[in-house]
Amino acid sequence: MFRKLTDTFFAAPQISLSDVADAKAAGISLIINNRPEDESADQTSGAEIAAAAQAAGIAYIAIPVTHAGFAEWQVTAMADAIENADGKILAYCRSGTRSTLLWALARAAKGDHPAVLSEQAADAGYDLSPVAAMMDMLRGRAS
């Protein structure tokens, strides 16, 4: 269920409370919630995931992303979370796609090459083409 993008970054669809224990067993030290609250009736709330993460000794941060797209503050927050994490990271949303797209934008903003990011995402089953132009722009700024 946790899809490996890099040795230290994983994306997943909506996680449950029991998935927090699996994350701990996998060595995850930070969970990033990219799903807005109340997006669907069946999702586990961010507060419940945060409490389970805290109980497991895992850091937790919420950077919600709606289907409206990405804002610069979200890219910056994700980049900061990645840079400041002490170990492996698990980011989740409804399907893992928004988490993967935001990861790619954050990494491009730090200078990672979009082609490399696209390959890593594809290996995990995700397509970065919806944010290809944004990755190029952000990488251009980082240079």
Side-chain angles (χ1 to χ4, degrees), residues 9-132:
F9 194 94
F10 300 79
Q14 174 69 53
I15 64 173
S16 66
L17 297 179
S18 64
D19 292 325
V20 174
D22 294 341
K24 179 70 172 179
I28 300 296
S29 63
L30 171 63
I31 293 174
I32 301 174
N33 177 359
N34 296 128
R35 194 162 189 197
E37 289 300 317
D38 302 318
E39 187 175 51
S40 71
D42 63 343
Q43 80 186 71
T44 305
S45 76
E48 290 174 290
I49 298 293
Q54 182 180 15
I58 300 173
Y60 171 92
I61 185 170
I63 308 169
V65 177
T66 67
H67 291 287
F70 302 94
E72 189 168 354
W73 74 265
Q74 292 162 319
V75 175
T76 300
M78 182 66 111
D80 290 347
I82 292 168
E83 281 197 8
N84 295 320
D86 185 24
K88 295 179 182 177
I89 302 167
L90 172 64
Y92 75 92
C93 57
R94 186 188 61 76
S95 67
T97 300
R98 283 174 281 175
S99 294
T100 300
L101 297 177
L102 186 56
W103 160 82
L105 293 172
R107 293 311 312 149
K110 293 297 182 179
D112 289 7
H113 197 284
V116 173
L117 296 169
S118 292
E119 184 176 315
Q120 291 170 312
D123 287 347
Y126 294 107
D127 175 18
L128 298 185
S129 61
V131 295

